[in-house]
Amino acid sequence: MKSVKSINKPNVIFLFLLIWISNLSFYGQNSENSSFESLRLVYDKYEKNDNKALPFVQKLISKAKKENNLSELVHGYQDAVYFEKNKFLKLKYADSTIVAAIKSKDNNLITSAYLGKGIIYYSNFRKYTPALNEYLKAFTYVKNSENKYLHYKVIYHLGVVKSYLGYYDEALIHFKDCIHFFEAQLKSDLHPNEVFNYKKGYLNSIHQANVIYRSLKLHKKSDSLIALGLKQSINQKDFILEYNYFLKSKGVSLFYNHQYKEALPYFSESLNGLKKADDFVWVSVNYFFQGKSLLYLNKKELAIKKFEKIDSIFNKHQFILPELRNNYEILINIYKKENNVDKQVYYMKQLLKADSVISKDFVYLAPKIHKEYDAKSLYESKTELEERIHIRNLLVMIFIVISLAFLALYVIRYRREIHIQTQYKSLEKKYLEALNNLETSSTSEKETILPKTSELENQRKLGLSKEIELEILKKLEAFENSKGFTKKGINLNLLASKFETNAYYLSWVINENKKMNFNRYLIELRINYITNLLFSDKKYLNYTVDALAEECGIASRQNFSALFYEMNGIRPKDFINQRKQELENS
């Protein structure tokens, strides 16, 4: 412990710097002098589709190009295919592999290069016809080769594509040949790497043959291969994926034997392994048989979730196996029974899209598929349902518009009622305050406010004396008390003549003392008068608006309503209604 504590920090940093510089020297200076094997060891630790390996792979490719080592160049490009994640770049590296292999004139390298490109079309693009074309090119170079493993690898991949395309008899011959070859090799003395390759080929050939037997409804033969595959792959770390394929196949076998409950654990156990391998095709098959099993067990909601996952995979990859077409027919029928038009239309569209993909990718199989819904009936049903959706949406829109209109009217009416009540209460308060002032005011004569100095100067300019102003004010008071303002046709000139003064004097006195012009003075007298009557005498609540206008001296009904609203903030009818309600509730 003491020796550890005694280490100097600067010395530790210096040590790390030396290690870092030596690593740079190795990769920067010695990579060209290193063997291809040592360069390959640097990136062998990375997993498939891990782009972090590519810079190291490029160093090997550069070295192979510089040394014109075509064999290593082919292997370098194949490594790039293995580690590259982007499927389009994989295809580009595959083309480079073919170019380098052809330059080498080595039939085995050329076979391997064409096989590699075919596998990309098959695994990454799910384009079986282009894949088959590449496999056939590989076969022309390998058929006379002494490399039997490579020969049967091509035979296997030819079988896989032919199986998917529906050429079952031809594909089955390929797989039987492969099973026989790989099984025989496993009995001989092999290197561990060879054991791995041959056993992998053996297990995959059994699995593919099992798939064909199931497609041909030869279930007993299929079951025997499943049992063999499970026995050969169980607890085998190197063959976990193959084991999951056989688990999935066992689940399918149980489904066809109507053992739906027993099938489900096999699907569940195999699913994670298939997902990990990113084998979306067999994942879809797994979900499909899970969904059908759940449906037979009356677990419709769980089944629908499985079927929806297949649709999600189809949307992502734009690929679907012909047998999974039934997935959409099932969903259409489910939502037809539930009268869910939107879902029906969606899955009808998806089924038409699936048919389009199947007709291009599986030309041979497409005409042989049993179709509950063919293209013509699908289009007709979809069109009819879309029309129903359109009508429904139109009715919903009309309902929404009408509802919003009613809501708007309700809000407007509600706000108007609140406004009316508020204005009425305000008027009532003013009325009560005015009554209170009248009751508490002195019975003595009101004090006359003398004009200010500036007002006297204006008076002198008009020739208006203090005595004349007081006289006019007394006459205005008498005019108000006698309700003279209720007479129709009254105007400034007529009133001035009645007061035995001139219009200028009268207008000035009103402006100075009432703080408004004559017309406004007359309007306020009339509207305040009729408002007080409506408060004080309930008989006026039964008057018409015309009668109320007549009562206060306003000739026009419209003019009266407008002036009443202007002064009181409420229409005469609304005021009357509020007053009646208040009297009824009192």
Side-chain angles (χ1 to χ4, degrees), residues 485 487 490 522-530 552-553:
F485 51 81
K487 294 179 181 179
I490 195 85
L522 196 62
I523 288 167
E524 290 199 5
L525 286 174
R526 288 170 169 172
I527 297 302
N528 286 334
Y529 168 70
I530 203 68
C552 67

Side-chain angles (χ1 to χ4, degrees), residues 457-474:
E457 288 176 359
N458 288 331
Q459 282 178 313
R460 284 196 294 273
K461 288 179 182 178
L462 287 169
L464 180 63
S465 65
K466 173 187 171 184
E467 290 77 11
I468 295 173
E469 181 183 4
L470 289 173
E471 186 180 350
I472 293 172
L473 284 172
K474 285 181 181 180

Side-chain angles (χ1 to χ4, degrees), residues 196-445:
F196 172 81
N197 288 334
Y198 285 122
K199 187 160 186 179
K200 197 170 186 70
Y202 174 64
L203 290 172
N204 279 294
S205 298
I206 291 174
H207 173 247
Q208 291 295 340
N210 144 67
V211 171
I212 291 177
Y213 282 132
R214 180 171 63 79
S215 299
L216 295 172
K217 302 188 185 308
L218 299 172
H219 296 298
K220 285 186 178 180
K221 290 187 176 182
S222 173
D223 289 344
S224 65
L225 289 179
I226 292 168
L228 178 61
L230 286 170
K231 182 180 177 181
Q232 292 289 334
S233 60
I234 191 169
N235 298 325
Q236 297 285 312
K237 185 178 178 182
D238 290 333
F239 306 108
I240 293 173
L241 177 59
E242 286 72 24
Y243 179 65
N244 284 313
Y245 284 145
F246 290 116
L247 285 175
K248 173 267 306 174
S249 296
K250 181 65 177 178
V252 174
S253 174
L254 290 168
F255 171 84
Y256 279 111
N257 285 323
H258 310 293
Q259 295 174 272
Y260 309 119
K261 187 176 180 180
E262 292 79 3
L264 289 173
Y266 287 93
F267 293 128
S268 297
E269 188 178 349
S270 63
L271 187 59
N272 286 335
L274 299 176
K275 284 182 176 179
K276 189 176 180 181
D278 197 26
D279 195 336
F280 67 87
V281 173
W282 286 119
V283 169
S284 295
V285 171
N286 189 308
Y287 282 136
F288 179 65
F289 283 100
Q290 274 197 70
K292 290 188 78 172
S293 298
L294 289 164
L295 207 57
Y296 281 117
L297 293 169
N298 295 317
K299 297 180 179 180
K300 187 176 71 172
E301 297 305 318
L302 289 174
I304 288 172
K305 288 180 180 179
K306 304 300 179 183
F307 296 139
E308 286 174 343
K309 286 182 182 293
I310 297 170
D311 181 55
S312 178
I313 292 170
F314 175 55
N315 284 333
K316 181 179 179 180
H317 296 282
Q318 295 299 299
F319 176 85
I320 192 167
L321 288 176
E323 70 176 318
L324 301 189
R325 181 188 187 276
N326 182 235
N327 181 68
Y328 290 112
E329 293 179 326
I330 292 169
L331 286 168
I332 290 167
N333 287 331
I334 287 172
Y335 290 114
K336 189 175 183 179
K337 289 177 183 176
E338 294 181 2
N339 200 28
N340 188 326
V341 178
D342 292 306
K343 292 282 189 179
Q344 284 183 72
V345 169
Y346 171 76
Y347 288 116
M348 282 178 176
K349 287 179 179 178
Q350 290 299 92
L351 180 50
L352 288 167
K353 198 187 298 183
D355 277 344
S356 175
V357 170
I358 291 168
S359 64
K360 285 188 290 186
D361 292 342
F362 302 93
V363 179
Y364 178 74
L365 275 178
K368 299 183 178 183
I369 302 170
H370 170 72
K371 298 178 180 179
E372 185 177 343
Y373 296 97
D374 59 18
K376 184 180 177 182
S377 64
L378 264 178
Y379 275 118
E380 289 173 354
S381 299
K382 183 173 75 71
T383 303
E384 181 184 343
L385 289 173
E386 284 176 335
E387 286 176 0
R388 284 174 60 186
I389 289 173
H390 176 71
I391 292 168
R392 184 201 65 190
N393 290 343
L394 186 62
L395 290 173
V396 169
M397 187 60 68
I398 291 170
F399 174 77
I400 290 171
V401 170
I402 291 172
S403 299
L404 288 174
F406 274 115
L407 180 62
L409 288 172
Y410 172 79
V411 170
I412 291 169
R413 184 174 178 179
Y414 175 77
R415 292 178 67 179
R416 184 171 176 271
E417 287 296 324
I418 295 297
H419 173 75
I420 288 169
Q421 290 173 18
T422 303
Q423 290 301 117
Y424 174 81
K425 291 296 181 184
S426 176
L427 287 173
E428 186 178 43
K429 184 180 179 182
K430 287 180 183 178
Y431 171 73
L432 293 173
E433 286 175 354
L435 279 179
N436 187 52
N437 289 337
L438 284 173
E439 289 172 0
T440 57
S441 62
S442 174
T443 54
S444 61
E445 189 177 351

Side-chain angles (χ1 to χ4, degrees), residues 185-186 188-199:
Q185 295 303 310
L186 286 169
S188 59
D189 188 21
L190 299 171
H191 186 276
N193 288 345
E194 290 179 307
V195 172
F196 172 81
N197 288 334
Y198 285 122
K199 187 160 186 179

